[in-house]
Amino acid sequence: YVPDGAGGVFARPQTIGDVCAAAPECGGRSTGFSELTYHLVINHTFSDDLLVYASYNRGFKSGVYNISSLSARATEPETIDAFEVGLKSQLFDRKLTLNLAGYYYKYDNLQVPVVDPATNTQISINAAKATISGFEAEMSFRPDDRLTLNGSFSTYFQSEYDSFPNCEIYRPAGVGLALATNADCSGEDLPVTPNIMASISANYKLPLGRDGELELAGLLSYTDEFDHATHGFYPAGIDAGGTPYPAGEGRAPIQKSLTTLNLSATFRPLKDNLYVTVWGRDLLNQGDRVFRNMQTTTFGYSTALGRGITGGVTIGYKFGS
């Protein structure tokens, strides 16, 4: 279905057979790609509880044909040079596990998905170059059999297209969107790369004597805002109908930052497989914020919202040991 120019839509039947009938050269097409990939890692174990490493990887992703335009040439292969340093450790008599990693990725011919408004199908195009670098930390602390704490933190130092001229982004066009194929996305952030992501979870088992055990659990997580899709700036031009349009920025709705809090309490009788859990999710009520599945269509951006505060009771029974 495509816009009819008057606020409505009309159906345009089309199959891959139709595409190949209009462009017979698409039948039996093939393209070969080859790349030497390799992996180098150096690590040193300072003790049974501490390992430090450095690695270099050369990665390769084959080119691909777009199913909506089989007559066109395949996209170029994507390559990556990935550098990483880090450590893995167990401290305080192995009660604390701590892993740290820093990385630096250089992409060439990065494959980027966009939706072709003419067919409402996803196609893949090549970006020129991109760089991603960041830092990650993971922690697990278990001082005894009752308490377990887990935490994670990651941040992007850099996440951008080094060079991406003639990128394809969307611009407003009447009741929907049109694809601008001559935009410049150089220097812009890659999609789905929040500056900060962090989480902490806790689990505590409280003995209740002969009555059983109460297990308390909680999760608090934070994700910074990010772009859902590639964005950049397009020059002024004239659309297919002869109507001029001004220069502008093509940008999908930004994912707002999310802070999620989930809590639960589970009661288990000591000599019974029955359990009862009282739980609450999204207790900070982030349901009015755009969730992470967003689709781009000819008509615009469709989004799904979170549920908001949700609570309930779960009664279960475990069979066997």
Side-chain angles (χ1 to χ4, degrees):
Y1 295 91
V2 297
D4 61 7
V9 299
F10 69 91
R12 184 176 64 187
Q14 187 179 43
T15 66
I16 295 303
D18 297 330
V19 175
C20 284
E25 68 273 17
C26 77
R29 300 196 72 194
S30 64
T31 305
F33 299 109
S34 63
E35 179 78 14
L36 178 65
T37 60
Y38 34 87
H39 170 68
L40 174 66
V41 60
I42 301 174
N43 65 68
H44 181 73
T45 302
F46 287 92
S47 67
D48 292 340
D49 299 327
L50 177 62
L51 179 144
V52 176
Y53 68 92
S55 69
Y56 166 62
N57 293 273
R58 173 72 170 186
F60 167 77
K61 182 179 180 182
S62 176
V64 62
Y65 285 107
N66 289 304
I67 196 170
S68 61
S69 56
L70 290 177
S71 60
R73 64 193 297 265
T75 58
E76 293 297 319
E78 171 187 314
T79 57
I80 180 177
D81 291 299
F83 303 86
E84 182 174 333
V85 295
L87 65 84
K88 299 180 182 294
S89 64
Q90 291 183 314
L91 308 172
F92 305 115
D93 197 22
R94 299 198 170 187
K95 294 178 180 179
L96 174 66
T97 298
L98 179 64
N99 300 326
L100 305 175
Y103 59 91
Y104 179 81
Y105 297 163
K106 291 291 290 187
Y107 289 93
D108 191 25
N109 281 330
L110 181 67
Q111 294 174 8
V112 180
V114 296
V115 174
D116 183 354
T119 60
N120 266 341
T121 55
Q122 182 171 288
I123 61 176
S124 179
I125 63 174
N126 284 114
K129 299 179 184 296
T131 300
I132 295 180
S133 63
F135 171 79
E136 295 180 346
E138 296 178 338
M139 176 273 293
S140 178
F141 181 55
R142 190 174 183 182
D144 51 45
D145 292 337
R146 295 185 183 181
L147 177 64
T148 301
L149 295 174
N150 293 293
S152 66
F153 173 84
S154 63
T155 181
Y156 289 103
F157 298 137
Q158 184 179 5
S159 173
E160 66 180 34
Y161 295 107
D162 300 327
S163 175
F164 195 3
N166 296 320
C167 66
E168 299 187 6
I169 59 176
Y170 306 99
R171 63 173 180 83
V175 296
L177 297 175
L179 197 63
T181 60
N182 59 345
D184 188 359
C185 299
S186 302
E188 302 298 330
D189 289 343
L190 273 71
V192 198
T193 53
N195 289 334
I196 295 175
M197 294 175 288
S199 70
I200 184 169
S201 63
N203 186 287
Y204 184 74
K205 296 179 180 180
L206 178 64
L208 300 178
R210 296 181 179 180
D211 294 327
E213 179 184 78
L214 182 65
E215 182 176 344
L216 305 175
L219 168 68
L220 178 65
S221 65
Y222 173 80
T223 302
D224 208 359
E225 67 178 24
F226 60 84
D227 281 277
H228 278 288
T230 302
H231 70 279
F233 297 87
Y234 55 85
I238 300 176
D239 62 24
T243 303
Y245 58 85
E249 180 182 15
R251 194 168 197 171
I254 296 176
Q255 166 68 60
K256 299 177 182 179
S257 61
L258 291 172
T259 304
T260 302
L261 175 63
N262 300 335
L263 298 175
S264 68
T266 301
F267 172 71
R268 296 186 181 90
L270 283 181
K271 297 182 179 180
D272 200 335
N273 291 341
L274 177 72
Y275 66 90
V276 179
T277 301
V278 179
W279 51 267
R281 297 172 186 157
D282 195 10
L283 298 179
L284 300 180
N285 196 22
Q286 304 283 279
D288 61 337
R289 295 178 172 244
V290 177
F291 227 35
R292 290 203 182 98
N293 51 340
M294 184 188 71
Q295 298 176 336
T296 308
T297 70
T298 305
F299 318 110
Y301 298 99
S302 65
T303 60
L305 301 180
R307 285 188 174 186
I309 298 175
T310 308
V313 177
T314 300
I315 301 176
Y317 186 88
K318 292 186 177 181
F319 296 92
S321 59

